[in-house]
Each structure stands twice: as C-alpha cells, then as structure tokens.
Amino acid sequence: MFATLRNTLPRQLSRAYSTAAGGAKSGNGLLWASLATGGVLVGGYYYTRSKEAQTNEAPVTKALDPKSFTPFKLKEKVPINHDTSLFRFELEPNQELGLDITSCFVVKAKLDGDEKPTIRPYTPVSPQHVRGHFDMVVKNYPQGKMSSHIHNLTPGDVLEIKGPIPKHPYKANEFKEIGMIAGGSGITPMLQLVQHVLADPNDHTKMTLVFANKSENDIILRSTFDKFAQEHPDRFRVFYVVDKASSADWKGETGYITKDMVKKYMPSPDQGNVLVSVCGPIPMMKLVSGAKAPDFSQGEVGGIFKELGYSSSQVFKF
C-alpha cells in the first residue's frame, strides 16, 4: 500500500491544496500516510504549493517562544519503519512554527519520576513557512528517555517546546557547494536545509549528502531524498552507507565513514568556498569532524575533516 501511496503523492497533494488553504486540515488520511512513508515534502512541492495557498490570508503569527516552553498538542502519529515515526503537532490556521534555516528547538518533559526535567534538541522536518501544523521525525532509541517518551505520546497529548535555537544561519548562494554527512536521526537538520535550498530556484548552491545507517531498513525518508536527486540532478546528490549489506543487490557503500568516502563525495577544502556539515551519533561525529566542545560550541575541527585539511570556517557540526 505504501508504495502505491508514494506513486500517487503529487496527485493527492494537488487535491489537498485545492480544498484546504494555508496547510489547514484536509481530512485526507491517504495524503497524511503518503507524507509519512517517503513522500515527505517531495521536491519542494509541499513547500511551494502551501505558500501559494496561503496568499491573501490573515497576518501570520509565530508559535515558538524563545524565552519559555509552550505546550503543543499532538494531532497524529504515523510509523515510518520499525523504530521511527512521524509526529504532527497542531498550530493555529495562520501560525507558522517560527524557525529560521538552520535552527532547531528543545523539548522538555519530566520522565521516570526524575526531580529535574529532561531537555533534548530536535529539528522538525516540515517546511519553514507551512501553517497549521509542524512535523517531527523521531527515532526511538532503546536507552533514549526523551525519544521513548515522544513515542509513547498519543493524539491529544502535549509536548513542551522552546525555540528557535539558531544553528548555522543560511544565506542563499553563500557557498558554492555544501557537503553533508548524517547518521541515523541526524538526518533531520540536513532535510531542513536541502528542502529549503531546492525550493528556491534562485539558489544555485550544490549539495551532496552521505547518509549512514545500520541497515537498508533503517534509512528513513529515502524516497524523499531520491526524489530530490531525480528532480534536481545538477543541484543535489545523495549516497547511502550501511554497516553491512543485507543482500547482493545493495549498490551503496558499506562499513563506517572513511577518509576515502569523504574525499570521494564531499567538496574538497581546496575549493575554498565550501561547507561540510555533520550530524549523528557522538562516535560518528568524533570520527568525521571531531566532537563539539564541552559547552556544545563547535570546538576544534578534528577527525577525518582535520586530516583532509578543512578549516574551521568550512566545517559545521549540528
């Protein structure tokens, strides 16, 4: 069924936006399933059509408060694979979440009777200016207290969120090329950036993404990134890495991220006007870019990036 929904996504999107303005509730369950199972924000279509539908409406407000936590109600939850789901939270019809590119927010919850609340950062996957809702893709880690809490939410429950938390302020055409290396759920800030760049026809930045996972089944949003690459071959490329191939049909890379992979896929530091970014588990960050500083600032460039000669101005650690 999910494969069929992916194939029919553009038609369903068109129908939904012909009847629901401003990203408002359309009642189209099939559309929602399509969005969660690989058609999320395909090719910037969702972004551009929502902007068209929002023309001549009431003034837009922003939902996030950078100084205090705000409760947001969960509207729907749809599984993507065995340990990852997409969570849609409600906004007012003429509300945007209020995130810049690139930025994230933090969520807060008191868990397991702890005296102090647990706070964790997340990056939503919905387009910057979509109204009426926002979406999170969350991987449920066995020892992840917050990810388990989010996965236990049911429609009607609330999640406290504060933001935005600025990351790397993006300016169109600031870099000739951006290279991205993501591991697991570290893919969400990369999706935020990729869909934003591709939605702007005047932004000529080239992007290459290397996405590492344990197995093929763990590659979330794969059809979304494949669609981006098919529709924008001169602007976006994507390559996949798995720990161990599950079949002889696997055509991507295997094993851990290596220096040879970085040299093969990432823009060279010799090009000057490039940026390489990384987001993922701490061991991968240490291997590729060096860890962040204890205060969560960028810290020194380390790992493979240091060995290959990237400067601090060419590296960003999400």
Side-chain angles (χ1 to χ4, degrees):
M1 179 181 73
F2 288 160
T4 301
L5 290 173
R6 291 190 191 100
N7 294 335
T8 60
L9 178 65
R11 174 173 52 82
Q12 291 173 355
L13 278 171
S14 179
R15 184 190 309 124
Y17 279 108
S18 67
T19 57
K25 180 178 178 182
S26 68
N28 191 331
L30 291 178
L31 168 62
W32 174 226
S34 298
L35 292 173
T37 55
V40 181
L41 321 176
V42 170
Y45 187 92
Y46 186 23
Y47 174 84
T48 55
R49 289 292 292 152
S50 64
K51 288 188 71 176
E52 291 170 8
Q54 291 161 4
T55 304
N56 299 322
E57 291 186 352
V60 178
T61 60
K62 295 184 178 182
L64 284 175
D65 185 338
K67 296 182 179 180
S68 62
F69 284 89
T70 302
F72 292 93
K73 184 182 294 186
L74 179 66
K75 179 180 179 181
E76 295 182 81
K77 168 186 173 183
V78 176
I80 295 177
N81 64 12
H82 60 284
D83 64 1
T84 304
S85 294
L86 194 151
F87 299 82
R88 173 162 289 184
F89 291 86
E90 294 181 359
L91 299 177
E92 295 298 323
N94 284 298
Q95 266 191 332
E96 299 177 355
L97 184 58
L99 283 184
D100 295 325
I101 307 297
T102 60
S103 60
C104 68
F105 52 56
V106 291
V107 303
K108 179 180 75 171
K110 271 199 170 184
L111 307 174
D112 302 329
D114 291 346
E115 183 177 342
K116 295 183 178 180
T118 297
I119 298 175
R120 294 288 187 272
Y122 285 91
T123 303
V125 299
S126 39
Q128 181 183 16
H129 297 295
V130 70
R131 303 178 197 172
H133 68 267
F134 67 92
D135 300 332
M136 297 172 61
V137 170
V138 180
K139 183 180 179 70
N140 191 5
Y141 290 95
Q143 304 303 319
K145 295 173 67 174
M146 183 59 76
S147 65
S148 296
H149 170 71
I150 294 174
H151 272 259
N152 287 329
L153 296 176
T154 58
D157 291 341
V158 299
L159 187 65
E160 292 189 86
I161 300 176
K162 182 173 73 172
I165 310 297
K167 290 293 186 177
H168 190 285
Y170 180 76
K171 298 178 182 179
N173 300 305
E174 180 179 6
F175 299 101
K176 180 179 180 181
E177 186 172 353
I178 297 176
M180 296 164 280
I181 298 177
S185 58
I187 192 63
T188 53
M190 309 309 187
L191 174 59
Q192 183 189 71
L193 177 61
V194 170
Q195 67 180 352
H196 180 79
V197 173
L198 295 181
D200 182 358
N202 296 315
D203 192 338
H204 306 295
T205 306
K206 294 184 178 180
M207 298 174 290
T208 301
L209 169 66
V210 172
F211 188 13
N213 287 274
K214 289 183 179 179
S215 70
E216 286 187 69
N217 291 334
D218 292 303
I219 303 175
I220 59 175
L221 307 174
R222 182 177 181 179
S223 62
T224 298
F225 288 110
D226 288 345
K227 185 75 171 177
F228 285 149
Q230 291 168 7
E231 294 185 344
H232 305 276
D234 57 333
R235 300 175 67 193
F236 177 69
R237 303 183 302 157
V238 60
F239 303 94
Y240 301 103
V241 183
V242 297
D243 289 357
K244 186 177 180 180
S246 57
S247 72
D249 295 330
W250 174 248
K251 292 179 172 53
E253 302 278 3
T254 56
Y256 295 114
I257 300 294
T258 66
K259 184 190 296 187
D260 287 341
M261 289 183 197
V262 174
K263 290 174 66 175
K264 182 178 180 180
Y265 298 118
M266 295 292 100
S268 168
D270 297 335
Q271 297 180 38
N273 188 28
V274 300
L275 180 73
V276 288
S277 58
V278 60
C279 186
I282 292 177
M284 191 194 83
M285 299 279 288
K286 290 180 177 179
L287 172 68
V288 175
S289 63
K292 285 187 173 183
D295 63 356
F296 298 104
S297 62
Q298 288 292 291
E300 296 183 359
V301 177
I304 295 172
F305 285 168
K306 180 179 180 179
E307 294 177 26
L308 293 177
Y310 291 97
S311 67
S312 58
S313 64
Q314 295 175 316
V315 174
F316 187 80
K317 308 169 190 177
F318 281 100

